[in-house]
């Protein structure tokens, strides 16, 4: 489905803000908080975010790169995320972030004790909660944008 966007309106701002302002503003605040208040390193943050984007198929999310202190992940990072099991470009935290994202999105019932033992060997409980909330945000809002066709209507600044 593609939502009808009035001429001159930004698709995401219109859908999230004008169509359902009470829900949309809360969703926008949550989405922005994930970026503004993260304590996770850029590489593990982007590995998890991009893996969700790959699973959702959200064009906007796939094109986006989080920037911190003027730094972004390298151009080849997206391919490494898709190959998280075998890439040599990741440390264990980054690999686990990509794995968790994939399993969270596709097989959350399969998150077993073996996985949690590996995860908690590299992440504190607070970091696991933060990453889980971030995954929920990306899964929900990236999928919303994809399902409603907003991802194809939005263009990143500078594109």
């Amino acid at each position: 489905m593609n939502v009808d966007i009035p001429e001159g309106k930004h698709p995401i701002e219109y859908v999230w803000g004008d169509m359902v302002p009470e829900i949309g503003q809360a969703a926008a605040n949550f989405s922005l908080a994930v970026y503004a208040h993260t304590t996770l390193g850029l590489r593990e943050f982007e590995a998890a975010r991009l893996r969700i984007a790959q699973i959702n198929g959200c064009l906007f999310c796939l094109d986006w790169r989080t920037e911190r202190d003027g730094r972004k992940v390298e151009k080849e990072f997206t391919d490494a995320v898709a190959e998280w099991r075998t890439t040599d470009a990741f440390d264990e935290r980054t690999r686990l972030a990509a794995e968790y994202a994939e399993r969270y999105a596709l097989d959350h019932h399969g998150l077993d004790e073996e996985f949690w033992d590996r995860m908690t060997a590299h992440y504190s409980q607070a970091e696991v909660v933060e990453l889980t909330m971030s995954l929920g945000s990306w899964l929900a809002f990236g999928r919303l944008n994809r399902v409603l066709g907003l991802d194809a209507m939005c263009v990143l600044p500078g594109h």
Side-chain angles (χ1 to χ4, degrees):
M1 173 181 158
N2 285 325
V3 175
D4 294 326
I5 308 297
E7 191 169 329
K9 293 280 190 172
H10 184 277
I12 289 179
E13 291 173 5
Y14 176 73
V15 170
W16 289 47
D18 295 345
M19 292 184 82
V20 290
E22 292 81 11
I23 298 170
Q25 188 58 55
N29 288 340
F30 177 41
S31 179
L32 293 171
V34 165
Y35 292 88
H37 303 293
T38 186
T39 65
L40 299 170
L42 179 61
R43 291 180 70 75
E44 59 250 21
F45 185 88
E46 278 294 273
R49 189 195 65 73
L50 276 166
R51 190 64 196 122
I52 293 291
Q54 290 167 345
I55 291 165
N56 279 344
C58 176
L59 302 173
F60 184 83
C61 304
L62 286 165
D63 204 25
W64 174 264
R65 292 300 171 274
T66 302
E67 184 176 324
R68 287 223 203 110
D69 301 322
R71 293 182 27 247
K72 294 182 181 182
V73 293
E74 65 275 11
K75 189 174 187 172
E76 303 77 24
F77 193 81
T78 303
D79 293 334
V81 169
E83 300 296 326
W84 64 264
R85 289 173 184 83
T86 57
T87 185
D88 60 1
F90 289 174
D91 63 14
E92 197 57 27
R93 279 178 61 95
T94 305
R95 188 178 316 282
L96 278 164
E99 178 182 358
Y100 186 32
E102 181 174 301
R103 293 178 74 170
Y104 182 91
L106 300 176
D107 185 27
H108 62 284
H109 292 286
L111 293 169
D112 56 14
E113 191 172 328
E114 182 275 331
F115 170 78
W116 288 119
D117 287 345
R118 289 186 295 114
M119 192 70 174
T120 57
H122 295 278
Y123 285 87
S124 70
Q125 286 187 354
E127 288 174 320
V128 170
V129 170
E130 179 182 331
L131 184 54
T132 304
M133 287 184 175
S134 297
L135 292 171
S137 170
W138 300 321
L139 184 65
F141 303 136
R143 196 160 289 183
L144 176 147
N145 290 337
R146 179 66 182 151
V147 167
L148 297 181
L150 302 176
D151 65 328
M153 294 182 219
C154 296
V155 177
L156 287 173
H159 277 66

